[in-house]
Amino acid sequence: MPDFSTLLEMLEYRAIESGEKTAFTFRGVPTSFNTLWERINLFASLLLDKEIKEQECIVIALPNSAEFFFAFYGVQRAGGIAVPLFPESNTERLAFIAKSCGSKVVVLPEESSKKVELEERGLICLTVNDALNTQVQNVFPQIQLDDIAFLQYTSGSTGDP
């Protein structure tokens, strides 16, 4: 097996070499490496269409799901920094964290009741399925070894200092 510099390189390799094998199973539904890589690239392409910049934070407020993986790695594939938050966070907290980390994008579950209020605050709200109508990019940012992959807020870091 080749030596990989990033997890994304490994996922791409697995999609090419063993694409039909199961990458993960969530609630009894398997997701192949091909599907995982395809959905990562679709979501990354959506973000690039929204003109996110390299190392820009993207808030992800999704429950545990296959969609979480598509978004989490899709953000990284687009060169961004994933900022996962508890999906039950209220709109006030989501907006505060987005402002704190400089995110202009929040990824929400389908039919989220938080979308309208967050958009009224100037945030772009996306779902993972929004990417299904996106054309896959041919060129993605080159991920560097010292790029930040994700930013994890803890319960002690979410207050207003």
Side-chain angles (χ1 to χ4, degrees), residues 3-64:
D3 187 27
F4 303 109
S5 297
T6 68
L7 180 59
L8 289 172
E9 288 177 6
M10 186 276 303
L11 290 173
E12 179 179 30
Y13 173 83
R14 291 299 303 260
I16 293 167
E17 295 298 318
S18 53
E20 295 308 314
K21 289 189 176 183
T22 299
F24 65 87
T25 300
F26 184 76
R27 294 195 173 156
V29 179
T31 298
S32 70
F33 282 103
N34 275 340
T35 299
L36 176 59
W37 190 241
E38 176 184 298
R39 296 295 301 270
I40 288 169
N41 285 305
L42 278 171
F43 195 73
S45 296
L46 174 65
L47 293 174
L48 292 172
D49 285 349
K50 299 294 180 188
E51 299 180 355
I52 72 149
K53 300 190 179 8
E54 289 186 42
Q55 293 290 274
E56 183 175 330
C57 290
I58 306 295
V59 172
I60 303 172
L62 295 173
N64 292 335

Side-chain angles (χ1 to χ4, degrees), residues 81-101:
I81 300 170
V83 183
L85 294 178
F86 183 61
E88 300 304 318
S89 298
N90 62 37
T91 53
E92 193 67 37
R93 180 166 187 262
L94 291 173
F96 175 80
I97 299 287
K99 182 179 178 183
S100 169
C101 70

Side-chain angles (χ1 to χ4, degrees), residues 26-27 59-69 71 83-95 97 106-115 118 126 128 152-153 158:
F26 184 76
R27 294 195 173 156
V59 172
I60 303 172
L62 295 173
N64 292 335
S65 61
E67 288 76 20
F68 176 84
F69 287 107
V83 183
L85 294 178
F86 183 61
E88 300 304 318
S89 298
N90 62 37
T91 53
E92 193 67 37
R93 180 166 187 262
L94 291 173
I97 299 287
V106 177
V107 184
L108 297 169
E110 294 288 326
E111 307 300 321
S112 174
S113 62
K114 299 168 190 162
K115 181 179 180 184
L118 289 170
L126 301 174
V128 172
Q152 182 68 57
Y153 280 82
T158 58

